[in-house]
Amino acid sequence: MSDALASKIAAGEVIERPASIVKELVENSLDAGATEISIELENGGKKSIRIVDNGEGMDHDNAILAFERHATSKIYSFDELYEIKSLGFRGEALPSIASVCRLEMLTRTEKSPAGTRLIVEGGTRPEVMDAGCPVGTTIIAKDIFFSTPARKKFLKKDSTEQAHCVDAVTRLALGHPEVKITVRAPKRTLLNLPKTTDLAERIALLFGDGFGNHILPVKDERGHVTLHGFISEPSYTRSNSKNIFCFVNGRYIRDNFMLNAIMTPYRRIIEHKRFPAVVLFIDVPPADIDVNVHPTKMEVRFKNQWEIYKLIGGGIGKALADAAPLSQMASFYSTGPADTNPTENFTERVQESLRRYTVYSGAERPTFRLNDSDDFMQQNLQRLFDTRVTTPTVMLFSTLEYMGQFDGTYLVFSGHESLVLIDQHAAHERILFEKLKKISYENAEEKQLLLIPEVIQLSPAEFALFGEYRHILEDAGFDVEEFGTHTVAVKSIPAILAGINLQDLIADISGEISKTGKAASIDEAKDTIFSLMACKGAIKANQKLDRPEVNNLLRELDMIPIASTCPHGRPIFIKFSIHELERMFKRR
Ligand code: ADP
Ligand code: MG
């Protein structure tokens, strides 16, 4: 390791608090191939941290070497930082830790007959002796910052420092479900994580049943980049983003860019200022990461930010969409006598399944019929129920019976013992909004080429803003060109927005963007722009719809993940069950 590299890295190398020590030591244990790691904390780690692992250990010479600065064998050049699998890359941790506390290490490899005991106090020369001990390494760090009272003063109360230690272990534990990890305080077990091959199991142990019972798998890839992990259903949210964990090539990363990418698909599904729980692993070819970012800062810069952004947003979006029709539609027809009669209910489910099967798979409607022999029906239906797309026990919009339009705005339906009103504008708005989001994630825009490019004059201020959101338009399927000092020409638009008033749209977007200002994140800007597009592109109130148009709308509502509110949060439909009507008419 060169000196330049060493100093580059050493600059940010600070043992801030007990949790920093816990993190470094547990990383070392993981690097040493430990399958069991036990951590004991006294006074939140301030008084002592004891870490025992069953990893490969060190022989006499390496044990001594480990306390010399930059003695790592794990990396050789700065560029390799992200190429390596191991977590350590600094050869700095042990000497740094030893310089701020009283440290004792006991270690033995399988090959060496005797173990080594090493004692260092506040960075003095180590005292080394032979000692009996099992294979693996035990490190005890006592009296953190005893030699630097000024820093010691900055430590928080025991419970706070202990929480930081547990957080540090939690991050590492998420990345290594195959390792048994325990954390104990004198009178309490803080974490007890048996080894498992199932990440979801570890998540459930770390976060409790709240997340554990509302968990959705995520799996996606884009080129050489892969994404996997788990997210919480929209019904499980938290008031802060602390339960969002991202790992890039195994390394924990806390980065606003990724946080934004994660939040985008949740936006407008969960309440404002609420956060999901997320554990995501992103694996990127090392060459695609810009390593010119300090490794200890938990940030990362991707060469191809947008690709990663889309992968994260798209992967999570898909997972949510897969799950959403069930949860959100369940409330659509939640009441009614059908629910009270299991047999009737079953038939309902059967019919719904068949319809849904047809809608989702695009497949031919299954050939067996409902009045065929019971066994046969049961068998085939069971098969249908077993596949994911056919499990819903709920209704579809497309099975509603259209009765007419009221006040040029509300579509009136009957179906499933209810009277259903749909706001045509709100419904179409939501459909367009979801489609625009999908287009921008999947790069799947269907463009409509304008025969004559539409030239739009902007004010100089609007034109200045245009540059900031231009890529969002392009993402959605617009082709635009800038002309002269304040003119843009639109050459094509997303097909779903055919007929939209571009002049108005661009002016409104500029207006909105200047209102939200530069502080707005890309997602907020995107959300704003897409909802404006959706609003402008959607069927208006007081617009006559014919039957095929109504049917189309219903079908599209069935296909989108979120069909209960428009992007502004207004309801898309209102439903009166027979019960409710009967109550209103005082029949009950
Ligand atoms: P780094 O992890 O960056 O290599 P450290 O200062 O954390 O630097 O550790 C120095 C060296 O000590 C490591 O490279 C490793 O060889 C050895 N080492 C540290 N902790 C352990 C451990 N728990 N088990 C086996 N070897 C260890
Ligand atoms: Mg290390």
Side-chain angles (χ1 to χ4, degrees):
M1 182 184 252
S2 77
D3 279 357
L5 167 58
S7 52
K8 210 167 183 175
I9 290 166
E13 176 61 61
V14 217
I15 301 294
E16 232 184 321
R17 55 179 5 133
S20 330
I21 297 179
V22 169
K23 170 183 172 280
E24 295 294 338
L25 296 182
V26 174
E27 280 185 357
N28 282 348
S29 298
L30 290 167
D31 283 349
T35 57
E36 289 185 18
I37 303 172
S38 119
I39 301 136
E40 286 166 45
L41 307 169
E42 274 186 71
N43 294 34
K46 289 192 277 188
K47 184 156 174 230
S48 90
I49 298 166
R50 178 193 170 91
I51 301 199
V52 183
D53 74 47
N54 66 349
E56 63 185 8
M58 286 164 266
D59 61 21
H60 182 88
D61 291 353
N62 281 330
I64 297 170
L65 203 64
F67 285 87
E68 296 186 1
R69 285 201 182 261
H70 322 312
T72 184
S73 52
K74 294 178 190 167
I75 186 196
Y76 303 99
S77 78
F78 200 69
D79 283 348
E80 282 170 280
L81 281 183
Y82 283 93
E83 296 194 23
I84 44 160
K85 282 257 162 55
S86 70
L87 298 161
F89 46 71
R90 283 156 281 177
E92 272 286 321
L94 285 183
S96 302
I97 294 167
S99 71
V100 299
C101 66
R102 300 182 219 273
L103 193 139
E104 180 181 347
M105 180 169 92
L106 254 173
T107 185
R108 183 164 78 86
T109 64
E110 208 169 23
K111 285 205 196 103
S112 36
T116 307
R117 179 193 299 272
L118 218 137
I119 297 172
V120 206
E121 296 223 338
T124 53
R125 283 194 68 78
E127 212 180 295
V128 190
M129 63 210 87
D130 281 353
C133 66
V135 174
T137 303
T138 298
I139 293 187
I140 307 158
K142 283 191 173 145
D143 305 324
I144 315 303
F145 295 149
F146 79 97
S147 52
T148 50
R151 288 168 83 182
K152 197 171 169 183
K153 247 189 8 218
F154 278 102
L155 292 179
K156 301 277 185 306
K157 58 179 195 282
D158 294 1
S159 57
T160 308
E161 294 301 335
Q162 178 175 296
H164 281 293
C165 293
V166 172
D167 282 350
V169 177
T170 298
R171 288 168 200 157
L172 293 164
L174 284 170
H176 296 271
E178 76 287 356
V179 179
K180 175 184 160 140
I181 300 178
T182 53
V183 184
R184 290 196 191 85
K187 287 199 191 98
R188 217 154 71 84
T189 298
L190 303 171
L191 285 179
N192 184 5
L193 309 168
K195 65 184 71 170
T196 172
T197 49
D198 184 2
L199 176 61
E201 190 183 315
R202 175 141 297 187
I203 289 174
L205 278 176
L206 283 168
F207 303 100
D209 289 346
F211 185 13
N213 289 337
H214 296 94
I215 196 166
L216 302 171
V218 176
K219 202 168 168 50
D220 210 347
E221 56 188 314
R222 224 181 152 91
H224 295 296
V225 186
T226 62
L227 175 77
H228 79 276
F230 291 94
I231 59 171
S232 62
E233 289 172 358
S235 57
Y236 177 86
T237 59
R238 290 271 152 282
S239 63
N240 57 54
S241 61
K242 277 196 196 141
N243 285 346
I244 299 183
F245 297 84
C246 287
F247 299 83
V248 175
N249 294 0
R251 194 181 295 275
Y252 173 77
I253 299 285
R254 184 97 200 146
D255 187 299
N256 272 336
F257 158 74
M258 280 197 278
L259 195 63
N260 277 330
I262 289 170
M263 288 309 294
T264 308
Y266 277 100
R267 244 171 257 276
R268 300 188 191 240
I269 302 180
I270 63 180
E271 270 174 69
H272 193 52
K273 299 221 161 92
R274 300 286 298 175
F275 297 85
V278 171
V279 179
L280 269 194
F281 294 85
I282 301 157
D283 288 297
V284 190
D288 289 358
I289 296 178
D290 189 348
V291 291
N292 202 10
V293 171
H294 204 285
T296 58
K297 275 196 189 149
M298 303 197 284
E299 284 174 3
V300 67
R301 203 139 300 147
F302 298 103
K303 295 234 167 89
N304 211 338
Q305 294 256 82
W306 272 109
E307 289 299 305
I308 305 288
Y309 194 95
K310 287 175 185 169
L311 175 67
I312 297 175
I316 292 183
K318 266 185 242 169
L320 289 173
D322 275 356
L326 312 188
S327 48
Q328 151 233 327
M329 291 297 290
S331 59
F332 192 79
Y333 289 101
S334 51
T335 55
D339 286 352
T340 57
N341 181 334
T343 354
E344 235 180 275
N345 195 27
F346 178 72
T347 319
E348 285 301 305
R349 286 168 56 189
V350 169
Q351 285 171 335
E352 282 322 308
S353 289
L354 292 177
R355 290 190 193 110
R356 207 170 253 280
Y357 180 77
T358 320
V359 169
Y360 273 87
S361 63
E364 284 292 303
R365 204 184 161 103
T367 47
F368 55 88
R369 291 197 329 252
L370 293 179
N371 54 4
D372 284 349
S373 95
D374 267 354
D375 270 7
F376 178 70
M377 184 176 101
Q378 281 287 3
Q379 262 175 25
N380 280 284
L381 289 172
Q382 207 45 56
R383 227 185 44 222
L384 272 180
F385 280 130
D386 287 344
T387 64
R388 183 125 161 253
V389 289
T390 57
T391 33
T393 59
V394 288
M395 272 287 311
L396 290 168
F397 286 99
S398 53
T399 57
L400 294 171
E401 191 190 329
Y402 182 50
M403 305 199 309
Q405 197 186 33
F406 173 72
D407 200 27
T409 301
Y410 305 102
L411 307 174
V412 184
F413 302 89
S414 76
H416 271 244
E417 326 206 283
S418 298
L419 172 73
V420 179
L421 303 176
I422 293 182
D423 178 328
Q424 63 188 40
H425 176 70
H428 197 210
E429 222 178 343
R430 172 54 83 179
I431 292 167
L432 291 179
F433 183 74
E434 293 299 324
K435 281 187 168 175
L436 286 164
K437 280 208 296 197
K438 194 160 179 250
I439 288 172
S440 85
Y441 289 138
E442 295 178 0
N443 273 340
E445 69 265 30
E446 267 178 65
K447 295 184 184 185
Q448 190 190 55
L449 203 64
L450 301 180
L451 288 177
I452 307 162
E454 186 157 338
V455 176
I456 297 169
Q457 303 274 350
L458 299 175
S459 73
E462 285 171 344
F463 189 74
L465 282 170
F466 181 76
E468 279 175 40
Y469 61 80
R470 176 185 175 154
H471 67 277
I472 299 177
L473 295 184
E474 284 168 348
D475 246 21
F478 285 84
D479 280 325
V480 282
E481 235 170 58
E482 291 174 20
F483 262 133
T485 48
H486 53 272
T487 306
V488 295
V490 181
K491 292 158 80 182
S492 63
I493 63 172
I496 54 167
L497 296 181
I500 197 167
N501 183 330
L502 284 169
Q503 189 83 45
D504 278 7
L505 178 70
I506 302 284
D508 280 13
I509 293 177
S510 297
E512 277 299 315
I513 295 293
S514 67
K515 243 194 275 167
T516 42
K518 282 207 183 204
S521 68
I522 292 172
D523 316 299
E524 284 169 62
K526 215 170 187 171
D527 257 19
T528 308
I529 290 178
F530 286 174
S531 55
L532 272 173
M533 288 178 184
C535 184
K536 296 239 172 286
I539 306 162
K540 300 281 171 300
N542 292 316
Q543 188 174 327
K544 188 106 188 82
L545 293 192
D546 58 23
R547 222 164 249 272
E549 284 170 328
V550 171
N551 288 339
N552 221 359
L553 194 74
L554 297 178
R555 259 198 308 277
E556 305 234 58
L557 278 177
D558 283 335
M559 302 303 288
I560 58 168
I562 312 306
S564 50
T565 55
C566 77
H568 309 295
R570 287 196 307 272
I572 286 177
F573 65 86
I574 291 175
K575 179 206 103 184
F576 300 93
S577 69
I578 286 186
H579 286 304
E580 286 168 284
L581 290 173
E582 281 174 345
R583 237 175 285 128
M584 287 182 215
F585 283 110
K586 309 269 185 251
R587 283 170 169 267
R588 287 197 165 219

